[in-house]
Amino acid sequence: MFTILVVDDERPIAEILKYNLEKEGYQVILAFDGEEALRRVNADNPDLVILDIMLPKKDGFCVCREIRAQRKVPIIMLTAKETEIDKVLGLELGADDYVTKPFSARELSARVKAILRRAKVYIEQSEKQDANKLTYDQLSVDLDEMRVYNGGKPVDLTYREFTLLVQMMQRPGHIFSRQQLLNQVWGYDYIGDERTVDVTVRRLREKLEILPAQPEFIQTKRGVGYFFKRKESV
């Protein structure tokens, strides 16, 4: 059973989310401010965090940043703000998805299922892999532990960044359109635009590349999409 942490200072909303998610078969725990959210993450090790932005003590952006500094747990941010900059900021800080209030229980359930389904698939795939690592020069990905190393040093990636990297590394040279990456990494029922892919690719390059503006690993095919560079034969 998956455990979901819902963080919202509006208790009626938090209770409604808890009720709807428990009907879907999830175990749900609640927190009502940013500091309590961080304590619950450490104490309960949830499989997913649903995080409101407007919180007392510490806002959702601060909480997201602190969670991401120590864990790869997927994060869905709830926001009453509809501007592009707020959505992009959430993604830049490491959120995997966002939902704008007001939202339907059906929409949120679809987002939750998509994220957890992808997590389950990657866990199952890693368990079946004979070779549990993907490598390219100094870049190494451990599929079993969901860890990435560059030059022997660990690289802290979010769940979305990790799954996007693996998706492309498993098919080097294959050009993925932004829509294909949305479907395969975020899920076919993901409700979002292609800007999400661009933001995540940019974050990956900043974490992996010596010169992000001149990427060695993730290449751009202008007008088409992205691909992981194929290793040249010696």
Side-chain angles (χ1 to χ4, degrees):
M1 177 185 295
F2 289 110
T3 299
I4 299 175
L5 171 62
V6 173
V7 188
D8 198 312
D9 64 321
E10 297 183 68
R11 289 177 180 263
I13 292 178
E15 293 291 349
I16 289 171
L17 289 174
K18 183 175 188 290
Y19 173 77
N20 287 325
L21 289 168
E22 285 181 340
K23 284 202 306 181
E24 299 282 343
Y26 304 114
Q27 178 179 341
V28 181
I29 51 181
L30 301 179
F32 303 104
D33 63 61
E35 292 181 355
E36 183 183 8
L38 292 171
R39 289 195 297 270
R40 296 309 298 263
V41 167
N42 291 325
D44 298 290
N45 193 27
D47 299 293
L48 174 70
V49 177
I50 299 176
L51 178 63
D52 190 29
I53 289 179
M54 305 301 290
L55 294 170
K57 299 185 180 180
K58 286 190 178 184
D59 66 33
F61 290 135
C62 290
V63 174
C64 181
R65 185 187 298 112
E66 291 191 34
I67 292 175
R68 193 52 70 224
Q70 53 185 309
R71 295 175 183 270
K72 292 183 172 62
V73 56
I75 299 172
I76 298 177
M77 300 200 79
L78 303 180
T79 174
K81 300 179 179 181
E82 298 182 358
T83 62
E84 176 84 359
I85 188 63
D86 292 310
K87 296 172 182 177
V88 171
L89 179 58
L91 294 172
E92 291 281 6
L93 291 173
D96 299 282
D97 201 354
Y98 58 84
V99 177
T100 303
K101 294 179 178 179
F103 54 86
S104 68
R106 184 176 181 180
E107 176 190 1
L108 183 61
S109 175
R111 304 289 186 98
V112 168
K113 287 178 180 177
I115 287 180
L116 292 177
R117 182 167 59 246
R118 294 298 302 176
K120 183 173 183 290
V121 166
Y122 272 95
I123 290 171
E124 290 175 348
Q125 286 179 343
S126 66
E127 288 175 349
K128 295 177 181 178
Q129 290 277 351
D130 291 330
N132 65 349
K133 285 185 174 60
L134 298 171
T135 59
Y136 183 96
D137 292 340
Q138 77 271 22
L139 185 64
S140 174
V141 177
D142 188 315
L143 296 174
D144 287 340
E145 297 185 0
M146 295 183 70
R147 295 183 184 276
V148 177
Y149 300 89
N150 196 0
K153 297 180 180 179
V155 182
D156 184 26
L157 300 185
T158 69
Y159 168 74
R160 290 292 191 205
E161 291 164 356
F162 179 84
T163 52
L164 182 63
L165 176 63
V166 170
Q167 182 71 34
M168 288 190 285
M169 281 190 76
Q170 287 179 328
R171 299 183 67 186
H174 178 83
I175 301 171
F176 295 90
S177 70
R178 291 171 176 81
Q179 188 60 53
Q180 285 177 322
L181 290 171
L182 275 177
N183 291 342
Q184 294 172 20
V185 176
W186 279 261
Y188 284 94
D189 44 8
Y190 175 76
I191 306 170
D193 56 44
E194 295 177 355
R195 168 75 169 159
T196 302
V197 176
D198 295 330
V199 170
T200 307
V201 168
R202 185 171 74 247
R203 289 205 321 260
L204 263 175
R205 285 172 169 167
E206 289 170 352
K207 293 180 178 182
L208 296 177
E209 304 284 357
I210 297 175
L211 297 173
Q214 301 175 31
E216 175 186 356
F217 304 120
I218 300 175
Q219 308 287 307
T220 302
K221 183 67 173 179
R222 189 177 298 275
V224 183
Y226 299 102
F227 65 96
F228 194 91
K229 186 176 179 181
R230 188 190 301 275
K231 205 164 189 176
E232 296 180 1
S233 301
V234 179

